[in-house]
Structures are given as structure tokens and as C-alpha cells.
Amino acid sequence: MTPPASTVAGAATPATPASQSPAATTPGAARAATGRGGLALFGLFVVAMLVLPHVGAYPVFLMKVLCFALFACAFNLLIGYVGLLSFGHAMFFGFAAYVTGYTVKAWGWSPEVGILAGTATAAAMGLVAGAIAIRRQGIYFAMVTLALAQMVFFFCLQAPFTGGEDGIQSIPRRALFGVIDLKNDMTMYHVVLAIFLIGFVVIYRTINSPFGQVLKAIRENEPRAISLGYPVDRYKLLAFVLSAALAGLAGATKSLVFQLASLTDVTWQMSGEVVLMTLVGGMGTVFGPVVGAAVIITMQNYLAGMGEWVLVIQGVIFVVVVMLFRRGIVGEIAARLRRG
Amino acid sequence: MFELLGIPPQAFFGQLLLGLINGAFYAMLSLGLAVIFGLLNVINFTHGAQYMMGAFGAWMLLTWLGLPFWVALVVVPILIGAFGMVLERALLRHLYHLDHLYGLLLTFGLALIIEGLYRQQFGSSGQPYVNPMPGGTNLGFMFLPHYRAFIIVFSLVVCVATWYMIERTKLGSYLRAATERPDLVQAFGINVPRMITLTYGFGVGLAALAGVLAAPAYQVSPPMGSNLIIVVFAVVVIGGMGSIMGSILTGFGLGVIEGLTKVFYPEASSTVIFVIMAIVLMIKPAGLFGKQK
């Protein structure tokens, strides 16, 4: 028996105090962003992204932001809407980059098939990792995903096809669908923007579907969702696979942008970075991860010459956000708007 | 028998010994994590960084002040334990009423800060530390360096003493009671917030103690903590954080299994613990010694 989703979402919200779940600190933010204002904001964002490279913004930088924004959005789907903190998302991002890089470079696959292969591999990994990780909740879930990602890291370190410390370099940018020339950075940029928008819309549609409502119900009160007859584990697993696939799509795209797939993308530091981006932007908000990715990537760009201080500053941001701005940038703004 | 398998006994026992030593560190670190988690409900991501600080503390005392290993073994855990208590009072304390994940995120941030500062100061390569117990004994089938034997014996003593303190003393009974029902224990007139601070300090001190112990055995380097802590997380998941003895046994056991994997199938030695974790999660999700809520 499956009751209609709308009743579930309504019934499940008041059961847990808002401070219990990380994402629940911004209960109205997601709603605010899904309304008409959200649509206008989304339109504004698309226009801005189309204009920016023509007014002097460096397309490679923008592509990097878009790849990480998609990565963070995929991560946010889990922490923001299911309440699962994955500390191992780099395994999907980084491994998909390897798969795309290898199939395109060594086997001569076309970019679209390469990206598809990377994404599909990430989804398959998500199925396996998810099936293992969702057997534990909360803090254990974070530790299990971290450990699984570390296993993938060691695999990539040893496997011959990844090129070890060198990674896979100079991955060719062949013509997309045989006609669109990706060697031109501006063309590549528009392709990356299109990929990002597809991923973003998929996530947006997911969280606003009956399926997404059930996910939120699980986040707010899992025992209740179980008692209402939902196969909670299957919902969680499906969300995990979707998130892994989109993280893989981001990684696969990134490997074509930079023509490089390397160990950096599968490290625990990378898993930590995507957590930081989402936290800074606002967990459980639609635009938060995008803003967070832009902020962190910009910061890394400016601090590139400062060596290990980047690590220290990222740590300080973690501490400051957790202690003082748990809603993140977008979450805080949404809260201000509601109050004012 | 070993020749039959194509492995000389020296290599076999050598790896077994290395496995036991790794296991000693897994046990001490997962013990500290379990004690902290029990009372604070925080997974202390900073644990690895605090272990690294312990190793560097010993190195600094020796290199800058000329103080020997044995002084460091006592002084460093106390200093870093005190540093931990400051962190708890200043930061962690304010997050207890929130989702536990925030504690994880905070301690992750702290770990980045500490590791970044040490990398900035010392680079990411290792600093050597003079072996305080040179020499060894030939046991016939293998050569046993004295310091390695000391690590195993000393860590066993520390683990058993911790187990005794928590499971068999009055103080430990307060701690266990506060783990179950902090509000009730507080109502009996015990200062639970202070107990939480001291417990965190104790757990951190244990990590620092492991760090001092590791200084002569491994290279003292800033990334040493973060590399280790992820494996220790897997150890904790395998053992389940339900019992103190469980953490100790799991730590040593997995160290030995990892050591033996190095003998029989070296390619898998860095991943074997994670594979075991996956298998244990499929069969017994709460961990070997854990209680399913």
C-alpha cells in the first residue's frame, strides 16, 4: 500500500524538531527557491552564465565552477533532501573522470559516449557503495562512505589504466556528436553549461516530485516513513545512485574540460571540498551548492600561490560556517527575506 | 610449512610483527574514538591530527629542547589532551544540541587547519626520530627489535588499563552511566559537562600518546594522521562502538590480517580492511561488537 506522497510530506514535517537534521535548519529556503522567485532566479542565472564569458570572464574558470557546482548539487541531493552525509563522493567524481579519460584517449571513443560511460560507471559504483552504506545511518554512513572512497583511491593508485601519480593526461577533445568542435574553449563552455543545466533540472525535478517528497519524509522522520509503508532503503538507494551518477557526470565533464584525470579527484580532500562547497552555499537549498562552488573555486584561484594555507583557510571556513552560519549563504539570505 | 607456501618464515613473522604494531595503533586510536563517541556523540575527525601532533610533540621536545623520548611519552599526551579540552570548551560544546553531523564537520575543519599549519611549517615529507631503544633480540625464527616489542607491550597495557578504568572503577561507572542517561547522572549531582570535557581530553591524550609511540616507528610527517584515521574509521565500523574490549580486539585483529595480506597478496594490503568493512556491513550491520539500536 502506498499512500499519496502529499499527505506523507505534510504529516512528516512536524514530527521532528527543526534543529535535528542539518538540512532542516533551512525549512523554507527550498520552498522559497521553488516558487516563482526561484524560477526568475534560475532564468537570471542562465542569462548571466551565457553573458559572463563575453564580458571578460575566463571560460575555463567558469567551466570549472560549473563542474564543481554540478558535483555539489549532486552531493546536496543526499545531504539536503535525504539527510545522508556522504564523505566519499570523490570516488564517483574521480573515477568517472578516469573512465571518460581512458575510453576517450585509449579507445578513441567520442566525447558524448565517453561521458556517458563515465556517468554509467559512477551510477554502477553508486549502486554497490550505496547498498553497503545505507545499512548504517548518520555518522556511520559518513564513515562508511569515506572508507569506501579510500578503497577506490587505493585501487586507482595501483590500477595500471589510471597512470598512477601522472594520471591520464592530454585527453583529446574530439568533436561532440561528430560535428561540434570542442577544441574551442567557448564552444566547450556552452556544452558544459548545457550539461550542468541538464543535471540541475534533473535534480530540481527529483526534489519536487512525489519521489522527492518521500525522500524529505525520510529525512525528517525515518521510522514514520517506514511505518507508512515506504520501502525506505530502496528510496535511499535510488537517491544515492542518482547522486553518484550526477557526481560522475560532473567528473566526466571535468576530465574533458581540463583534458586530465588524476588522483587528486579521488582523494578524501576532494570529498571534503564538495562538503565544504555545499555547507558554505547552504545545505538543502536549490542554489546553495552553486553559490558555494563559485565561492570556493574563486577562493582557490586567488589563493593558488599560497601553498598549504589553502588547507588552513578551508578548515577555518568549515569551523566558522558550522559555528555561526549553519544555513550557509543562500540559506541565510532566504531566512532574512522571509523575516524582512 | 612456510617453504611449502613459498614464503620464508622471516618474511612471515616480520609482517606479522608489523601487523601487530599497526594493530596496536588501530586499537589505541579506535579506543579513543569510542570513548569520545560514547559520551559526546561526536566522531572526532581531529583524532588523526591530534595523533600527528603527538608525534610532532615528541619530535619538537627532542630536537628543540633535547628532552628524551620517555619525557615526551608523559608530557606530550597531557599537553595535547589539555589542548583538546580547550577545543571542547570553546567549540564542540556549542554543537551538542544539534545533529551529530555538525560535530563531524567541525572536527573535520579543525583537522584541516591543524594539518595545513603543520604542512606549512614542516612540509609534507617525514622527519626522522631517533630510536630510543636500539638493538633487538634474535628469536631464532625472526629478529625482534626491542622498540617494536615495546610498542606492542606498552599499547596492550594502555588498552587494558583504559578498559579496566571504564568497566571496573567507580569513575568508569559514572562515565558509563552518563553515556546512557546524562540528564539522570546530572540530577545525582555529578558535573556532567566537566566530565565531558575531561573525557574528550582523555580521548585526545590517548591519540597523542599513540602519536608519541609512533614517532620512532614511522616517519613523523603532517599527513601521517589523516592517512591513518580513515583506516581507523573503517576499524571502528567493523568493531562497532558498543564495547571497549571490542575496539581493542578489532584493532589488533585487523592489524594482523593486514600484515598477513602483505605476505600472501601484497596488492590488496592497502584495501583489505575496507573490503572486510564492506563484508561485515552486509552480514552484521551494527559491527562485530556493536548493538543495533
Side-chain angles (χ1 to χ4, degrees), chain A residues 76-89:
Chain A
N76 185 44
L77 178 63
L78 280 183
I79 181 67
Y81 299 95
V82 202
L84 294 173
L85 173 63
S86 163
F87 232 106
H89 251 48

Side-chain angles (χ1 to χ4, degrees), chain A:
Chain A
M1 186 200 81
T2 315
S6 55
T7 57
V8 179
T13 18
T16 328
S19 62
Q20 287 279 304
S21 148
T25 48
T26 57
R31 221 174 303 136
T34 54
R36 196 161 297 161
L39 200 66
L41 216 59
F42 180 67
L44 204 67
F45 169 77
V46 174
V47 172
M49 289 315 280
L50 284 172
V51 173
L52 269 177
H54 299 284
V55 293
Y58 187 44
V60 174
F61 168 76
L62 290 176
M63 284 191 272
K64 188 174 181 187
V65 170
L66 284 173
C67 289
F68 277 95
L70 180 57
F71 185 23
C73 285
F75 169 80
N76 185 44
L77 178 63
L78 280 183
I79 181 67
Y81 299 95
V82 202
L84 294 173
L85 173 63
S86 163
F87 232 106
H89 251 48
M91 64 177 146
F92 311 120
F93 183 77
F95 202 79
Y98 275 128
V99 170
T100 303
Y102 190 80
T103 52
V104 168
K105 189 182 175 189
W107 294 348
W109 288 13
S110 58
E112 67 276 7
V113 183
I115 288 179
L116 217 57
T119 310
T121 312
M125 285 169 72
L127 190 64
V128 176
I132 294 168
I134 58 165
R135 297 179 73 87
R136 298 305 303 262
Q137 278 111 26
I139 254 163
Y140 282 97
F141 183 87
M143 290 199 287
V144 170
T145 44
L146 177 65
L148 291 172
Q150 192 71 354
M151 183 163 85
V152 172
F153 169 80
F154 279 117
F155 175 77
C156 293
L157 185 66
Q158 292 171 347
F161 79 93
T162 59
E165 302 277 351
D166 299 332
I168 302 175
Q169 297 178 0
S170 48
I171 299 162
R173 279 194 203 163
R174 283 196 204 86
L176 188 73
F177 301 117
V179 282
I180 306 170
D181 179 25
L182 295 184
K183 287 192 188 70
N184 182 325
D185 269 347
M186 213 50 140
T187 317
M188 185 75 203
Y189 172 75
H190 287 95
V191 171
V192 173
L193 181 60
I195 291 174
F196 169 81
L197 290 176
I198 292 169
F200 190 83
V201 168
V202 167
I203 292 171
Y204 183 84
R205 284 305 309 151
T206 305
I207 54 185
N208 290 299
S209 67
F211 173 74
Q213 298 298 333
V214 177
L215 292 183
K216 282 174 226 166
I218 294 171
R219 176 189 78 193
E220 295 301 325
N221 193 337
E222 187 169 342
R224 182 116 184 219
I226 294 171
S227 77
L228 284 167
Y230 285 104
V232 165
D233 277 356
R234 216 178 303 160
Y235 275 89
K236 279 189 191 171
L237 184 58
L238 194 53
F240 194 89
V241 172
L242 186 61
S243 173
L246 290 167
L249 178 63
T253 311
K254 182 183 172 265
S255 78
L256 285 185
V257 171
F258 289 95
Q259 304 183 280
L260 172 73
S262 72
L263 277 175
T264 319
D265 295 343
V266 273
T267 54
W268 60 265
Q269 286 94 335
M270 184 59 77
S271 296
E273 258 173 44
V274 74
V275 177
L276 181 63
M277 287 171 188
T278 311
L279 188 68
V280 167
M283 293 191 289
T285 62
V286 177
F287 289 105
V290 183
V291 174
V295 170
I296 298 296
I297 297 291
T298 308
M299 186 198 81
Q300 284 174 347
N301 247 27
Y302 277 105
L303 300 180
M306 293 184 66
E308 307 296 348
W309 286 112
V310 178
L311 209 59
V312 179
I313 291 168
Q314 288 190 348
V316 171
I317 296 176
F318 252 108
V319 171
V320 170
V321 173
V322 168
M323 296 305 295
L324 303 173
F325 307 103
R326 279 181 286 272
R327 284 191 270 234
I329 296 171
V330 172
E332 287 290 341
I333 293 173
R336 290 277 154 82
L337 286 179
R338 259 199 318 282
R339 240 179 283 137

Side-chain angles (χ1 to χ4, degrees), chain B residues 233-244:
Chain B
F233 278 173
V235 172
V236 164
V237 172
I238 294 169
M241 283 192 283
S243 91
I244 299 291

